[in-house]
């Protein structure tokens, strides 16, 4: 029996590892028009729709763990990132409050969730083991384990990955709809929002504020890069200055107002899909809760 004990590893069945970065055919050419009467705060609803269900994802991780144990691997997959999606990130900015900046600098801009194990580590060597990959994703040919959605995205759903998905979500296509495809579907609107001139106006206001400080950067990305490069107390000082100017100029509120314009249009288009995804997630969460006890 091939028994390997692992700590935190990537749950390859997770949305972050399968669909979030998947390209949708024609995505770059799709445009969402701004609504004439934006719904204030609809960005929050869109972020909820784009985020995964925490309980369902924990149940999925446990279902995969149990399946892998039967195959002879003591494999504990790390949970995928289950924080609520911040759609400001999709237009090039992370939400940064003064409180968070004082506490942890630019932690919000640092990589989140599990990363690929180093190739020469115990975990990396295990992931390079064909037998382990077969247990996790199914055997060759790989095409037989690939499940594709109607718009061209796809994911491996064989082996214990597929078994876990079926236990919690019912089938791979519903899993895709409730995770990566839900996330991708709102990015059509944020891509359009990213070109709105009001974003540059918000940046200019922030830049004017920063010009009177010790850190006269021209846009928030420069401040983030400088802070992360500096580290330590200097990172905290830059981050707090940055966050203070964001607060004083209403930077985040202005970005949210821009997103609201485009997401009002997009969420209206997605009304039926939102309802169906909510049902899929509700059922998955109930199955996960039963599995987790």
């Amino acid at each position: 029996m091939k028994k390997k004990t692992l700590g935190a590893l990537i749950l390859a069945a997770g949305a972050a590892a399968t669909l979030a970065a998947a390209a949708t055919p024609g995505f770059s050419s799709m445009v969402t028009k701004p609504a004439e009467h934006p719904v204030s705060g609809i960005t929050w609803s869109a972020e909820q729709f784009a985020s995964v269900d925490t309980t369902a994802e924990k149940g999925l991780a446990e279902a995969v763990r149990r399946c892998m144990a039967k195959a002879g691997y003591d494999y504990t997959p790390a949970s995928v990132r289950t924080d609520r999606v911040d759609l400001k990130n999709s237009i090039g900015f992370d939400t940064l409050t003064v409180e968070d900046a004082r506490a942890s600098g630019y932690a919000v801009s640092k990589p989140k969730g599990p990363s690929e194990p180093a190739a020469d580590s115990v975990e990396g060597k295990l992931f390079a083991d064909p037998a382990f990959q077969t247990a996790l994703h199914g055997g060759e040919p790989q095409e037989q384990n690939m499940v594709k959605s109607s718009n061209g995205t796809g994911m491996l759903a064989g082996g214990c990955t597929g078994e876990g998905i079926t236990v919690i979500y019912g089938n791979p296509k519903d899993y895709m709809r409730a995770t990566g495809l839900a996330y991708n579907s709102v990015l059509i609107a944020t891509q359009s929002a990213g070109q709105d001139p009001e974003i540059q106006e918000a940046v200019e206001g922030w830049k004017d504020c920063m010009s009177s400080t010790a850190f006269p950067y021209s846009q928030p990305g420069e401040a983030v890069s400088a802070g992360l490069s500096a580290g330590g107390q200097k990172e905290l000082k830059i981050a707090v200055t940055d966050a203070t100017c964001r607060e004083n100029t209403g930077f985040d509120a202005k970005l949210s107002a821009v997103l609201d314009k485009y997401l009002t249009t997009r969420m209206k288009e997605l009304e039926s899909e939102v309802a169906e995804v909510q049902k899929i997630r509700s059922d998955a969460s109930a199955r996960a809760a039963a599995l987790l006890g």
Side-chain angles (χ1 to χ4, degrees), residues 32-191:
T32 298
K33 294 182 179 180
E36 291 185 12
H37 304 288
V39 175
S40 179
I42 200 168
T43 295
W44 185 88
S45 297
E47 289 172 341
Q48 292 292 308
F49 175 61
S51 302
V52 298
D53 182 274
T54 300
T55 301
E57 289 304 300
K58 288 180 179 177
L60 175 56
E62 175 61 14
V64 173
R65 185 197 70 78
R66 294 184 186 188
C67 178
M68 291 297 285
K70 292 178 184 178
Y73 295 96
D74 186 4
Y75 167 60
T76 304
S79 297
V80 298
R81 182 168 170 76
T82 52
D83 295 357
R84 195 191 77 192
V85 167
D86 179 3
L87 288 177
K88 292 186 188 71
N89 180 265
S90 68
I91 56 173
F93 308 94
D94 288 303
T95 299
L96 179 69
T97 65
V98 174
E99 182 181 8
D100 287 343
R102 284 176 178 157
S104 54
Y106 284 114
V108 69
S109 296
K110 294 174 183 175
K112 304 168 183 67
S115 58
E116 294 284 350
D120 59 350
S121 67
V122 173
E123 295 86 352
K125 291 176 181 177
L126 185 63
F127 268 72
D129 178 1
F132 175 84
Q133 289 291 344
T134 295
L136 186 59
H137 295 301
E140 299 292 343
Q142 198 175 77
E143 291 75 16
Q144 292 184 358
N145 304 310
M146 178 67 69
V147 175
K148 293 184 179 181
S149 69
S150 59
N151 63 6
T153 52
M155 58 172 284
L156 287 173
C160 286
T161 297
E163 181 173 319
I165 287 171
T166 301
V167 167
I168 301 301
Y169 284 91
N171 61 76
K173 289 191 176 181
D174 277 352
Y175 171 70
M176 286 194 284
R177 289 178 71 186
T179 54
L181 293 182
Y183 175 80
N184 280 357
S185 67
V186 301
L187 296 187
I188 295 169
T190 62
Q191 177 176 269

Side-chain angles (χ1 to χ4, degrees), residues 16 18 21 47 60 70 98 113 136 139 171-172 186 219 243-244 247 255 263-264 270 277 289:
T18 54
E47 289 172 341
L60 175 56
K70 292 178 184 178
V98 174
L136 186 59
N171 61 76
V186 301
Q219 52 102 357
T244 299
E247 182 177 281
L255 295 186
L263 287 166
T264 294
L270 290 170
V277 164

Side-chain angles (χ1 to χ4, degrees), residues 49 177-179 182 272-282:
F49 175 61
R177 289 178 71 186
T179 54
S272 61
E273 182 66 9
V274 170
E276 291 177 21
V277 164
Q278 288 175 336
K279 180 65 166 60
I280 293 169
R281 288 176 179 167
S282 176

